[in-house]
Coordinates of all heavy atoms in Angstrom, one line a residue:
M6 N -131.4 -35.4 47.4 CA -130.5 -36.0 48.3 C -129.1 -36.4 47.8 O -128.1 -36.2 48.4 CB -131.1 -37.2 49.0 CG -130.1 -38.0 49.7 SD -130.7 -39.1 51.1 CE -130.8 -37.9 52.4
G7 N -129.1 -36.8 46.6 CA -127.8 -37.1 45.9 C -127.4 -38.6 46.1 O -128.2 -39.5 46.4
Y8 N -126.1 -38.9 46.0 CA -125.6 -40.2 46.1 C -124.5 -40.3 47.2 O -123.3 -40.2 46.8 CB -125.0 -40.6 44.8 CG -126.1 -40.6 43.6 CD1 -126.2 -39.4 42.8 CD2 -127.1 -41.6 43.5 CE1 -127.1 -39.3 41.8 CE2 -128.0 -41.4 42.5 CZ -128.1 -40.3 41.6 OH -129.0 -40.2 40.7
P9 N -124.8 -40.3 48.4 CA -123.7 -40.2 49.5 C -122.6 -41.3 49.4 O -121.5 -41.1 49.7 CB -124.5 -40.4 50.8 CG -125.8 -41.0 50.4 CD -126.1 -40.6 49.0
N10 N -123.1 -42.6 48.9 CA -122.1 -43.6 48.8 C -121.1 -43.4 47.7 O -119.9 -43.6 47.9 CB -122.7 -45.0 48.7 CG -123.6 -45.3 49.9 OD1 -123.3 -45.0 51.0 ND2 -124.8 -45.9 49.6
L11 N -121.6 -42.9 46.6 CA -120.9 -42.6 45.5 C -119.9 -41.5 45.8 O -118.7 -41.5 45.5 CB -121.6 -42.2 44.2 CG -120.9 -41.8 42.9 CD1 -119.9 -42.9 42.5 CD2 -121.8 -41.4 41.8
E12 N -120.4 -40.4 46.4 CA -119.6 -39.3 46.8 C -118.4 -39.8 47.8 O -117.2 -39.4 47.7 CB -120.4 -38.3 47.7 CG -119.8 -36.9 47.8 CD -119.8 -36.1 46.6 OE1 -120.9 -35.7 46.1 OE2 -118.7 -35.9 46.0
A13 N -118.7 -40.7 48.7 CA -117.7 -41.3 49.7 C -116.6 -42.1 49.0 O -115.5 -41.9 49.1 CB -118.4 -42.0 50.8
E14 N -117.1 -42.8 48.0 CA -116.1 -43.6 47.2 C -115.2 -42.8 46.2 O -114.1 -43.1 46.1 CB -116.9 -44.7 46.4 CG -117.5 -45.8 47.3 CD -116.6 -46.5 48.3 OE1 -115.3 -46.6 47.9 OE2 -117.1 -47.0 49.3
L15 N -115.8 -41.7 45.7 CA -115.0 -40.8 44.9 C -113.9 -40.2 45.8 O -112.7 -40.2 45.4 CB -115.9 -39.7 44.4 CG -116.8 -40.1 43.3 CD1 -117.7 -38.9 42.9 CD2 -116.2 -40.6 42.1
A16 N -114.2 -39.8 46.9 CA -113.2 -39.2 47.9 C -112.2 -40.2 48.3 O -111.0 -40.0 48.3 CB -113.9 -38.6 49.1
R17 N -112.7 -41.5 48.7 CA -111.7 -42.5 49.1 C -110.7 -42.8 48.0 O -109.6 -43.2 48.3 CB -112.5 -43.8 49.4 CG -113.1 -43.8 50.9 CD -113.6 -45.1 51.2 NE -114.6 -44.9 52.3 CZ -115.9 -45.0 52.2 NH1 -116.5 -45.3 51.1 NH2 -116.6 -44.7 53.2
N18 N -111.2 -42.8 46.8 CA -110.3 -43.3 45.7 C -109.6 -42.1 44.9 O -109.1 -42.4 43.9 CB -111.2 -44.2 44.8 CG -111.6 -45.5 45.4 OD1 -110.7 -46.4 45.5 ND2 -112.7 -45.5 45.9
G19 N -109.8 -40.9 45.3 CA -109.2 -39.8 44.6 C -109.8 -39.5 43.2 O -109.0 -39.1 42.3
I20 N -111.0 -39.8 43.0 CA -111.7 -39.6 41.7 C -112.4 -38.4 41.8 O -113.2 -38.2 42.7 CB -112.5 -40.9 41.3 CG1 -111.7 -42.1 41.3 CG2 -113.3 -40.6 40.0 CD1 -112.5 -43.3 41.3
T21 N -112.4 -37.5 40.8 CA -113.1 -36.2 40.8 C -114.3 -36.3 40.0 O -114.5 -37.2 39.1 CB -112.1 -35.1 40.1 OG1 -111.9 -35.4 38.8 CG2 -110.8 -35.1 40.9
R22 N -115.3 -35.3 40.2 CA -116.4 -35.1 39.4 C -116.0 -34.9 37.9 O -116.7 -35.3 37.0 CB -117.3 -34.0 39.9 CG -118.0 -34.4 41.3 CD -118.8 -33.3 41.8 NE -119.4 -33.7 43.1 CZ -120.4 -33.1 43.6 NH1 -120.8 -31.9 43.0 NH2 -120.9 -33.5 44.8
G23 N -114.9 -34.2 37.8 CA -114.4 -33.9 36.4 C -114.1 -35.2 35.6 O -114.4 -35.3 34.4
Q24 N -113.5 -36.2 36.4 CA -113.2 -37.4 35.6 C -114.5 -38.2 35.3 O -114.6 -38.8 34.2 CB -112.5 -38.3 36.6 CG -111.0 -37.9 36.7 CD -110.3 -38.7 37.8 OE1 -110.3 -38.5 39.0 NE2 -109.6 -39.7 37.4
I25 N -115.5 -38.1 36.1 CA -116.9 -38.6 35.9 C -117.4 -37.9 34.6 O -118.0 -38.6 33.6 CB -117.9 -38.6 37.0 CG1 -117.3 -39.3 38.3 CG2 -119.2 -39.0 36.6 CD1 -117.2 -40.7 38.2
A26 N -117.4 -36.6 34.6 CA -117.8 -35.8 33.5 C -117.2 -36.2 32.1 O -117.8 -36.4 31.1 CB -117.7 -34.4 33.8
D27 N -115.8 -36.3 32.2 CA -115.1 -36.7 31.1 C -115.5 -38.1 30.5 O -115.7 -38.3 29.4 CB -113.6 -36.8 31.3 CG -113.0 -35.4 31.5 OD1 -113.6 -34.4 31.2 OD2 -111.8 -35.2 32.1
L28 N -115.7 -39.0 31.5 CA -116.1 -40.4 31.1 C -117.4 -40.4 30.3 O -117.6 -41.0 29.3 CB -116.2 -41.3 32.3 CG -116.8 -42.7 32.1 CD1 -115.9 -43.6 31.3 CD2 -117.1 -43.3 33.3
L29 N -118.4 -39.6 31.0 CA -119.8 -39.6 30.3 C -119.9 -38.6 29.3 O -121.1 -38.5 28.7 CB -120.7 -39.3 31.6 CG -120.6 -40.4 32.7 CD1 -121.6 -40.0 33.8 CD2 -121.0 -41.8 32.1
K30 N -118.9 -37.8 29.0 CA -118.9 -36.7 28.0 C -120.1 -35.8 28.3 O -120.9 -35.4 27.5 CB -119.2 -37.3 26.6 CG -117.9 -38.1 26.2 CD -118.1 -38.7 24.7 CE -116.9 -39.5 24.2 NZ -116.1 -40.1 25.1
K31 N -120.1 -35.4 29.6 CA -121.0 -34.4 30.2 C -120.4 -33.3 30.7 O -119.1 -33.2 31.0 CB -121.9 -35.0 31.2 CG -122.6 -36.2 30.9 CD -123.9 -36.0 30.1 CE -124.6 -37.3 29.9 NZ -125.6 -37.3 28.9
D32 N -121.0 -32.1 30.9 CA -120.5 -30.9 31.6 C -120.3 -31.2 33.1 O -121.0 -32.1 33.6 CB -121.5 -29.8 31.5 CG -120.9 -28.5 31.0 OD1 -119.9 -28.5 30.3 OD2 -121.6 -27.5 31.3
K33 N -119.2 -30.7 33.6 CA -119.0 -30.9 35.1 C -120.1 -30.4 35.9 O -120.5 -31.0 37.0 CB -117.6 -30.3 35.5 CG -117.1 -30.8 36.9 CD -115.6 -30.5 37.0 CE -115.5 -29.2 37.7 NZ -114.1 -28.8 38.1
S34 N -120.7 -29.3 35.5 CA -121.9 -28.8 36.3 C -123.0 -29.7 36.2 O -123.8 -29.8 37.2 CB -122.2 -27.4 35.7 OG -122.7 -27.5 34.3
T35 N -123.2 -30.5 35.1 CA -124.3 -31.5 35.1 C -124.0 -32.6 36.2 O -125.0 -33.0 36.9 CB -124.4 -32.2 33.6 OG1 -124.7 -31.1 32.8 CG2 -125.4 -33.2 33.7
I36 N -122.8 -33.1 36.2 CA -122.5 -34.1 37.2 C -122.7 -33.6 38.6 O -123.2 -34.2 39.5 CB -121.0 -34.6 37.1 CG1 -120.8 -35.2 35.6 CG2 -120.6 -35.6 38.1 CD1 -121.7 -36.2 35.2
S37 N -122.3 -32.3 38.9 CA -122.4 -31.7 40.2 C -123.9 -31.7 40.6 O -124.3 -31.9 41.7 CB -121.9 -30.3 40.2 OG -120.4 -30.5 40.2
T38 N -124.7 -31.3 39.6 CA -126.2 -31.2 39.7 C -126.7 -32.5 40.2 O -127.5 -32.7 41.1 CB -126.9 -30.6 38.5 OG1 -126.5 -29.3 38.3 CG2 -128.5 -30.6 38.8
W39 N -126.4 -33.5 39.4 CA -126.8 -34.9 39.7 C -126.4 -35.4 41.1 O -127.2 -36.0 41.9 CB -126.2 -35.9 38.6 CG -126.8 -35.8 37.3 CD1 -127.9 -35.0 36.9 CD2 -126.3 -36.5 36.1 NE1 -128.0 -35.1 35.5 CE2 -127.1 -36.0 35.0 CE3 -125.3 -37.3 35.9 CZ2 -126.9 -36.5 33.7 CZ3 -125.2 -37.8 34.6 CH2 -125.9 -37.4 33.6
M40 N -125.1 -35.1 41.4 CA -124.5 -35.5 42.7 C -125.2 -34.8 43.9 O -125.2 -35.3 45.0 CB -123.0 -35.3 42.7 CG -122.2 -36.2 41.8 SD -122.1 -37.9 42.1 CE -121.2 -37.8 43.6
N41 N -125.6 -33.6 43.6 CA -126.2 -32.8 44.7 C -127.8 -33.0 44.8 O -128.4 -32.3 45.5 CB -126.0 -31.3 44.5 CG -124.5 -31.0 44.7 OD1 -123.8 -31.7 45.4 ND2 -123.9 -30.0 44.0
G42 N -128.3 -34.0 44.1 CA -129.7 -34.4 44.2 C -130.6 -33.4 43.4 O -131.7 -33.2 43.8
G43 N -130.1 -33.0 42.2 CA -130.9 -32.3 41.3 C -132.1 -33.0 40.8 O -132.3 -34.2 41.2
R44 N -133.0 -32.4 40.0 CA -134.2 -33.1 39.6 C -134.1 -34.4 38.9 O -134.8 -35.2 39.0 CB -135.1 -32.1 38.7 CG -135.8 -31.0 39.5 CD -136.7 -30.3 38.6 NE -135.9 -29.5 37.6 CZ -136.3 -29.3 36.4 NH1 -137.5 -29.6 36.0 NH2 -135.5 -28.6 35.6
T45 N -133.0 -34.4 38.1 CA -132.6 -35.7 37.4 C -131.3 -36.2 38.0 O -130.7 -35.5 38.7 CB -132.4 -35.5 35.9 OG1 -131.3 -34.6 35.7 CG2 -133.6 -34.9 35.2
G46 N -131.0 -37.4 37.6 CA -129.8 -38.1 38.2 C -129.2 -38.9 37.1 O -129.5 -38.7 35.8
F47 N -128.4 -39.7 37.5 CA -127.7 -40.6 36.5 C -128.7 -41.5 35.8 O -129.4 -42.1 36.5 CB -126.6 -41.5 37.2 CG -125.4 -40.7 37.6 CD1 -125.4 -40.0 38.9 CD2 -124.2 -40.6 36.9 CE1 -124.3 -39.3 39.4 CE2 -123.1 -40.0 37.4 CZ -123.2 -39.3 38.6
S48 N -128.5 -41.7 34.5 CA -129.3 -42.7 33.8 C -128.7 -44.1 34.1 O -127.6 -44.2 34.7 CB -129.2 -42.5 32.2 OG -127.9 -42.8 31.8
V49 N -129.4 -45.2 33.9 CA -128.9 -46.5 34.2 C -127.5 -46.7 33.3 O -126.6 -47.2 33.9 CB -129.9 -47.6 33.8 CG1 -129.3 -49.0 33.9 CG2 -131.1 -47.5 34.8
K50 N -127.6 -46.2 32.1 CA -126.4 -46.4 31.3 C -125.2 -45.7 31.8 O -124.1 -46.2 31.8 CB -126.8 -45.8 29.9 CG -125.7 -45.9 28.9 CD -126.1 -45.4 27.5 CE -124.9 -45.3 26.6 NZ -125.2 -44.6 25.3
D51 N -125.4 -44.5 32.3 CA -124.3 -43.7 32.9 C -123.9 -44.3 34.2 O -122.6 -44.3 34.4 CB -124.8 -42.2 33.0 CG -124.9 -41.4 31.7 OD1 -124.3 -41.9 30.7 OD2 -125.5 -40.4 31.7
A52 N -124.7 -44.7 35.0 CA -124.4 -45.3 36.2 C -123.6 -46.6 36.0 O -122.6 -46.8 36.6 CB -125.6 -45.6 37.1
M53 N -124.0 -47.4 35.0 CA -123.2 -48.6 34.7 C -121.8 -48.2 34.2 O -120.8 -49.0 34.5 CB -123.9 -49.4 33.6 CG -125.2 -50.0 34.3 SD -126.2 -50.9 33.1 CE -125.2 -52.4 32.6
A54 N -121.7 -47.2 33.4 CA -120.4 -46.8 32.9 C -119.5 -46.3 34.1 O -118.3 -46.6 34.0 CB -120.5 -45.6 31.9
V55 N -120.0 -45.6 35.0 CA -119.3 -45.2 36.1 C -118.7 -46.3 36.9 O -117.6 -46.5 37.3 CB -120.0 -44.1 37.0 CG1 -119.4 -43.9 38.4 CG2 -120.3 -42.9 36.3
R56 N -119.7 -47.3 37.2 CA -119.3 -48.5 38.0 C -118.3 -49.3 37.2 O -117.2 -49.7 37.8 CB -120.5 -49.3 38.3 CG -120.2 -50.4 39.2 CD -121.1 -51.6 39.3 NE -121.3 -52.3 38.0 CZ -120.5 -53.2 37.6 NH1 -119.5 -53.6 38.3 NH2 -120.7 -53.7 36.4
R57 N -118.4 -49.5 36.0 CA -117.6 -50.3 35.2 C -116.2 -49.7 35.2 O -115.2 -50.4 35.3 CB -118.1 -50.5 33.8 CG -117.3 -51.4 32.9 CD -118.0 -51.7 31.6 NE -118.7 -50.6 31.0 CZ -120.1 -50.5 30.9 NH1 -120.8 -51.4 31.4 NH2 -120.7 -49.4 30.3
E58 N -116.0 -48.4 35.0 CA -114.7 -47.7 34.8 C -114.0 -47.5 36.1 O -112.8 -47.8 36.2 CB -114.9 -46.4 34.2 CG -113.7 -45.6 34.0 CD -112.8 -46.1 32.9 OE1 -113.2 -46.9 32.0 OE2 -111.5 -45.8 33.0
F59 N -114.7 -47.1 37.2 CA -114.1 -46.8 38.4 C -114.3 -47.7 39.6 O -113.4 -47.7 40.5 CB -114.5 -45.3 38.9 CG -114.2 -44.3 37.9 CD1 -115.1 -43.6 37.1 CD2 -112.9 -43.9 37.7 CE1 -115.0 -42.6 36.2 CE2 -112.6 -42.8 36.8 CZ -113.6 -42.3 36.0
F60 N -115.4 -48.4 39.7 CA -115.7 -49.2 40.8 C -116.3 -50.6 40.4 O -117.4 -51.0 40.7 CB -116.8 -48.6 41.7 CG -116.4 -47.1 42.0 CD1 -117.0 -46.0 41.4 CD2 -115.5 -46.9 43.0 CE1 -116.7 -44.7 41.8 CE2 -115.1 -45.6 43.4 CZ -115.7 -44.5 42.7
P61 N -115.5 -51.4 39.7 CA -116.0 -52.6 39.1 C -116.3 -53.7 40.2 O -117.1 -54.6 39.9 CB -114.8 -53.1 38.2 CG -113.6 -52.5 38.7 CD -114.1 -51.1 39.2
N62 N -115.8 -53.5 41.4 CA -116.1 -54.5 42.5 C -117.2 -54.0 43.4 O -117.5 -54.7 44.5 CB -114.8 -54.7 43.3 CG -113.8 -55.4 42.5 OD1 -114.0 -56.3 41.6 ND2 -112.5 -54.9 42.7
M63 N -117.9 -53.0 43.0 CA -119.0 -52.5 43.8 C -120.3 -52.6 43.1 O -120.4 -52.6 41.8 CB -118.8 -51.0 44.2 CG -117.6 -50.9 45.1 SD -117.3 -49.2 45.7 CE -115.9 -49.4 46.6
T64 N -121.5 -52.7 43.8 CA -122.7 -52.9 43.2 C -123.4 -51.5 42.8 O -123.1 -50.5 43.5 CB -123.7 -53.6 44.0 OG1 -124.0 -52.8 45.2 CG2 -123.2 -55.0 44.4
L65 N -124.1 -51.5 41.8 CA -124.9 -50.3 41.5 C -125.8 -49.8 42.7 O -126.0 -48.7 42.9 CB -125.7 -50.4 40.2 CG -125.0 -50.5 38.9 CD1 -126.0 -50.9 37.8 CD2 -124.3 -49.1 38.6
D66 N -126.4 -50.8 43.3 CA -127.3 -50.6 44.5 C -126.5 -49.8 45.5 O -127.1 -48.8 46.1 CB -127.8 -51.9 45.1 CG -128.9 -52.5 44.3 OD1 -129.4 -51.9 43.3 OD2 -129.2 -53.7 44.5
Y67 N -125.4 -50.1 45.8 CA -124.6 -49.5 46.8 C -124.2 -48.1 46.3 O -124.5 -47.1 47.0 CB -123.3 -50.2 47.2 CG -122.3 -49.4 47.9 CD1 -122.6 -49.1 49.3 CD2 -121.1 -49.0 47.4 CE1 -121.7 -48.3 50.0 CE2 -120.2 -48.2 48.1 CZ -120.5 -47.9 49.4 OH -119.6 -47.1 50.2
L68 N -123.5 -48.0 45.2 CA -123.0 -46.8 44.7 C -124.1 -45.6 44.6 O -123.9 -44.5 44.8 CB -122.3 -46.9 43.4 CG -121.0 -47.6 43.5 CD1 -120.4 -47.9 42.1 CD2 -119.9 -46.8 44.2
F69 N -125.2 -46.0 44.0 CA -126.3 -45.1 43.5 C -127.5 -45.0 44.4 O -128.5 -44.5 44.2 CB -126.6 -45.3 42.1 CG -125.5 -45.0 41.2 CD1 -124.6 -46.0 40.8 CD2 -125.3 -43.7 40.8 CE1 -123.5 -45.6 40.0 CE2 -124.2 -43.3 40.0 CZ -123.3 -44.3 39.5
S70 N -127.3 -45.5 45.7 CA -128.3 -45.4 46.7 C -128.4 -44.0 47.1 O -127.4 -43.3 47.3 CB -128.0 -46.3 47.9 OG -128.9 -46.1 49.0
E71 N -129.7 -43.5 47.3 CA -129.9 -42.1 47.8 C -129.8 -42.1 49.3 O -129.8 -40.9 49.9 CB -131.2 -41.5 47.3 CG -131.2 -41.4 45.7 CD -132.5 -40.9 45.3 OE1 -133.5 -40.8 46.0 OE2 -132.5 -40.5 44.1
E72 N -129.6 -43.2 50.0 CA -129.4 -43.3 51.4 C -128.1 -43.9 51.7 O -127.6 -44.8 51.0 CB -130.5 -44.2 52.1 CG -131.9 -43.7 51.9 CD -132.2 -42.4 52.6 OE1 -131.7 -42.2 53.7 OE2 -133.0 -41.6 52.0
P73 N -127.3 -43.4 52.7 CA -126.1 -43.9 53.0 C -126.1 -45.4 53.4 O -127.1 -45.8 54.1 CB -125.5 -43.1 54.2 CG -126.4 -41.8 54.2 CD -127.6 -42.3 53.6
I74 N -125.3 -46.2 52.9 CA -125.2 -47.6 53.3 C -123.8 -47.8 53.9 O -122.8 -47.5 53.3 CB -125.3 -48.5 52.0 CG1 -126.7 -48.3 51.4 CG2 -125.1 -50.0 52.4 CD1 -126.9 -49.1 50.1
T75 N -123.8 -48.4 55.0 CA -122.5 -48.7 55.7 C -121.9 -50.0 55.2 O -122.7 -51.0 55.2 CB -122.7 -48.8 57.2 OG1 -123.3 -47.5 57.7 CG2 -121.3 -49.0 58.0
V76 N -120.7 -50.0 54.8 CA -120.1 -51.2 54.3 C -119.3 -51.8 55.4 O -118.3 -51.1 56.0 CB -119.2 -50.9 53.0 CG1 -118.5 -52.2 52.7 CG2 -120.0 -50.3 51.9
A77 N -119.6 -53.1 55.8 CA -118.8 -53.7 56.8 C -117.5 -54.1 56.3 O -117.3 -54.5 55.2 CB -119.6 -54.9 57.3
T78 N -116.4 -53.8 57.1 CA -115.1 -54.3 56.8 C -114.8 -55.6 57.6 O -115.1 -55.7 58.7 CB -114.0 -53.2 57.1 OG1 -114.4 -52.6 58.3 CG2 -114.0 -52.2 56.0
V79 N -114.1 -56.5 56.8 CA -113.7 -57.7 57.5 C -112.2 -57.7 57.6 O -111.5 -57.4 56.6 CB -114.2 -58.9 56.6 CG1 -113.6 -60.1 57.1 CG2 -115.6 -58.9 56.5
S80 N -111.6 -58.0 58.7 CA -110.3 -58.1 59.0 C -109.8 -59.5 58.8 O -110.3 -60.5 59.4 CB -109.9 -57.7 60.4 OG -108.5 -57.8 60.7
V81 N -108.8 -59.7 57.9 CA -108.3 -61.1 57.6 C -106.9 -61.1 58.3 O -106.0 -60.3 58.2 CB -108.1 -61.2 56.1 CG1 -107.5 -62.6 55.9 CG2 -109.5 -61.1 55.4
R82 N -106.7 -62.2 59.0 CA -105.4 -62.4 59.7 C -104.5 -63.4 59.1 O -104.9 -64.3 58.5 CB -105.7 -62.8 61.2 CG -106.3 -61.6 61.9 CD -106.6 -62.1 63.4 NE -107.3 -61.0 64.0 CZ -107.6 -61.1 65.2 NH1 -107.1 -61.9 66.0 NH2 -108.3 -60.1 65.8

């Protein structure tokens, strides 16, 4: 299944799979396999590094959920 929330946040923030690969010192094809729901996925260490570098205000549960999670937006006036 992959990581639909992570995929959405990458797109929203203009972050590429290549940037994730560079951060984790992995092949871009490895990241693509993980993102597309390959047999293995991100290790906890790698997931924490991605969150720390690119999404420090988001939870691991949200980013690495295999099911889409809708984030409610709050309007402040």
Side-chain angles (χ1 to χ4, degrees):
M6 167 153 278
Y8 305 98
N10 299 323
L11 178 58
E12 196 75 70
E14 294 302 333
L15 291 174
R17 278 188 201 106
N18 291 281
I20 299 165
T21 67
R22 290 179 179 193
Q24 288 173 278
I25 301 293
D27 289 345
L28 172 71
L29 301 178
K30 296 179 179 28
K31 306 280 186 198
D32 230 22
K33 197 163 91 171
S34 64
T35 298
I36 302 304
S37 289
T38 298
W39 293 352
M40 295 290 293
N41 293 330
R44 284 188 295 147
T45 62
F47 288 85
S48 69
V49 172
K50 179 182 174 184
D51 288 342
M53 290 175 69
V55 169
R56 187 196 64 81
R57 187 173 35 254
E58 179 71 21
F59 298 111
F60 307 105
N62 297 320
M63 295 183 180
T64 66
L65 286 173
D66 286 345
Y67 167 71
L68 289 169
F69 293 92
S70 172
E71 292 181 350
E72 298 294 325
I74 299 173
T75 304
V76 178
T78 40
V79 178
S80 176
V81 179
R82 296 181 185 189

